[in-house]
Amino acid sequence: MTGSAPAPRIPALDIARGAALCGMVVYHFTYDLELFGLIAPGTAVSGGWFVLARVVAASFLFLAGVSLWLAHGAGIRWPGFGRRLATVGAAAAAISAGSWFAIPEAWVFFGILHAIAFGSLAGLAVLRFHPAAVAVLAVAVAAAGRWAALPLFDAPGLQWLGLGTVVPRSVDFVPVFPWFAAVLAGIALAQVAGKAGLWARAAGRPAAPGAGLRALAWAGRHSLAIYLIHQPVLVGVLWLALRLAG
């Protein structure tokens, strides 16, 4: 399957990606408040914050699946795919290296960027499948993460699969099972929407009206850069605020 012309950019997807970024920043700000001892320990991993973290992660992976089909569903454009995969892979490696030095006891060995890189590569295999088959596979992947756990997969080299009996300590752990299911769900929905002509109509719509939606769309177009810089900025601002307050 060889590539064709790139699909036109769809403002609604940029807005959705920007909204996911907002959720991510809010959650990470809460995490940083806990890190600095400004809120109760465990706040970021309990209650609604626990749910928010998973909704945000699922949203990014779902949108990655949608974007993968839009970009390559009519034929894989290998040069563009390779560049994008290399960029995300390099960013994931940078996150792993930085977290290893900053928090070696809970470093990021398979976080959201690793999951997106894996999902983008593995998702190529199902782009031509029937949407129903992709949806069934998504359900199977989600179920396997819950019901197919084995001690074998607790080995350090296999933990990234998510099939172990013990959850490894990491500040950002997004294993293949069950999270690849979100990418598959995005591909299936994109296929159905494509058959219905929704993407063609959405691509023809003008840029989002209103400053708020335009800001979200801008953020969505620069999601990787914002992901990489937002935590250093948040931590730096909190550190400076505490120093000034003290």
Side-chain angles (χ1 to χ4, degrees):
M1 185 167 58
T2 56
S4 56
R9 194 148 200 122
I10 297 175
L13 291 180
D14 288 330
I15 292 171
R17 199 173 289 110
L21 283 168
C22 288
M24 175 193 71
V25 171
V26 169
Y27 176 77
H28 283 167
F29 183 67
T30 303
Y31 179 89
D32 295 337
L33 289 175
E34 182 180 328
L35 182 68
F36 280 91
L38 298 175
I39 59 176
T43 298
V45 292
S46 61
W49 297 111
F50 178 86
V51 174
L52 175 63
R54 276 138 189 83
V55 169
V56 168
S59 297
F60 279 123
L61 292 166
F62 179 84
L63 290 169
V66 171
S67 298
L68 182 69
W69 188 86
L70 285 172
H72 306 288
I76 302 172
R77 298 182 293 109
W78 288 109
F81 176 82
R83 286 192 298 271
R84 179 63 178 170
L85 184 64
T87 300
V88 175
I95 292 293
S96 290
S99 63
W100 173 263
F101 285 105
I103 40 175
E105 72 282 0
W107 68 293
V108 180
F109 63 91
F110 206 85
I112 188 66
L113 291 183
H114 304 73
I116 289 173
F118 173 88
S120 297
L121 187 60
L124 293 180
V126 304
L127 290 181
R128 307 299 289 179
F129 285 17
H130 190 279
V134 180
V136 169
L137 183 58
V139 172
V141 169
R146 182 175 179 87
W147 302 111
L150 293 170
L152 166 69
F153 296 103
D154 290 328
L158 298 176
Q159 289 177 334
W160 60 278
L161 290 170
L163 294 175
T165 59
V166 177
V167 178
R169 187 178 179 192
S170 175
V171 295
D172 183 23
F173 183 50
V174 189
V176 172
F177 297 91
W179 291 100
F180 183 47
V183 177
L184 293 170
I187 292 172
L189 180 139
Q191 291 172 318
V192 172
K195 291 179 183 297
L198 296 181
W199 299 126
R201 292 197 291 272
R205 292 184 177 275
L213 291 180
R214 285 197 298 271
L216 287 177
W218 179 89
R221 291 193 297 272
H222 302 87
S223 56
L224 182 57
I226 292 173
Y227 178 86
L228 292 173
I229 67 173
H230 81 283
Q231 268 293 64
V233 170
L234 290 176
V235 171
V237 168
L238 279 174
W239 179 85
L240 181 60
L242 289 175
R243 289 293 296 265
L244 294 175

